[in-house]
Amino acid sequence: MLPEPASFQDGLIHVLVIDDDRKLAGLIRDYLTPLGYAVELVHTGPEGAERGLAAPWHAIILDLMLPGCDGFEVLKRIRAKSSVPILMLTARGEEADRIVGLEIGADDYLPKTFSTRELLARLRAVTRRSIIAQTAAPAEAPIKELVVGTVRLNLDARVATQNDQVLVLTPVEFDILTALMKSRGRIKSREALIENLRDREYEVFDRSVDVHIAALRKKLGDDAHQPRYIRTVRSAGYMFINPEA
């Protein structure tokens, strides 16, 4: 039985690495540990999905090619119940794989030809928001909310609900939805959304915005052809609307 990670109160950044390449996984652990990371390693798909949901993590580094089930399946299982930041790690760097990973809910994608400095930069970017959310004291902070129709965002807790049901959003999806709802009734261009995400140091590119929008629509029960929430404005961008207005 694997040990439970220590409380986040230990001041460490807790990362789960799911990779069947034991040498590479060990190198990642050895590189990150002196930098204030608590790194745990698992080496199969089923074990990774179970461990990813069994304990809290600041981030998960997930390989695509795994025994038992591949990284896409592991990502689906974790995303069904958790919004933990996930960095996909793979020897396959084709754009199609990146798009599939983003569609399922990955926060970033890194080929295995990465340098350690690049890995650290990407990891810091995807964990920044989760660290803030997990170490904040909501009781002491004023409640900040955005409400449009039945969709409600608690910006302090970073929780999204629809009809009082929690929406499981990735950090990138939450920030895109926040930007759209803050500009409700007004067009938000892809470029503006990319700039919003760059302010948070996410790795984004033009097509990924459309992928994240599609994921948001699915989770909101929206229809791109007859939108109730997110309307596409051709050649301009997207607009969040109130279906009750």
Side-chain angles (χ1 to χ4, degrees), residues 77-239:
R77 295 182 189 180
I78 293 175
R79 272 291 169 262
K81 298 181 179 180
S82 171
S83 61
V84 59
I86 297 178
L87 175 63
M88 293 291 290
L89 185 65
T90 178
R92 291 161 48 182
E94 293 86 352
E95 184 184 21
D97 288 332
R98 295 173 64 192
I99 295 299
V100 170
L102 289 169
E103 287 177 336
I104 299 173
D107 295 279
D108 202 354
Y109 215 101
L110 191 62
K112 282 193 171 179
T113 54
F114 66 88
S115 67
T116 52
R117 292 180 63 184
E118 183 179 13
L119 171 65
L120 182 61
R122 299 289 185 92
L123 190 58
R124 283 175 172 169
V126 299
T127 57
R128 192 179 306 275
R129 285 287 168 177
S130 65
I131 291 171
I132 292 173
Q134 290 159 354
T135 59
E140 299 176 3
I143 296 175
K144 298 177 182 179
E145 287 189 325
L146 290 173
V147 181
V148 180
T150 60
V151 180
R152 182 183 300 269
L153 300 187
N154 184 316
L155 302 183
D156 287 324
R158 291 183 64 81
V159 173
T161 61
Q162 181 184 25
N163 293 318
D164 296 324
Q165 299 296 311
V166 174
L167 299 172
V168 180
L169 305 181
T170 69
V172 179
E173 290 167 359
F174 187 92
D175 285 330
I176 288 179
L177 184 57
T178 299
L180 288 172
M181 289 179 64
K182 282 183 176 179
S183 300
R184 57 189 176 276
R186 303 192 303 274
I187 298 171
K188 194 80 171 176
S189 69
R190 288 178 178 83
E191 292 76 14
L193 289 171
I194 289 174
E195 286 304 315
N196 280 131
L197 296 178
R198 281 177 179 160
D199 289 343
R200 292 153 175 79
E201 300 184 22
Y202 293 132
E203 182 70 15
V204 292
F205 50 95
D206 187 67
R207 189 176 174 189
S208 71
V209 172
D210 298 329
V211 174
H212 292 306
I213 291 290
L216 279 171
R217 280 178 168 148
K218 182 177 181 180
K219 292 177 181 181
L220 289 167
D222 211 359
D223 184 343
H225 301 292
Q226 295 181 319
R228 300 178 61 245
Y229 296 101
I230 303 176
R231 177 179 298 167
T232 300
V233 182
R234 184 172 297 180
S235 302
Y238 298 99
M239 178 190 300

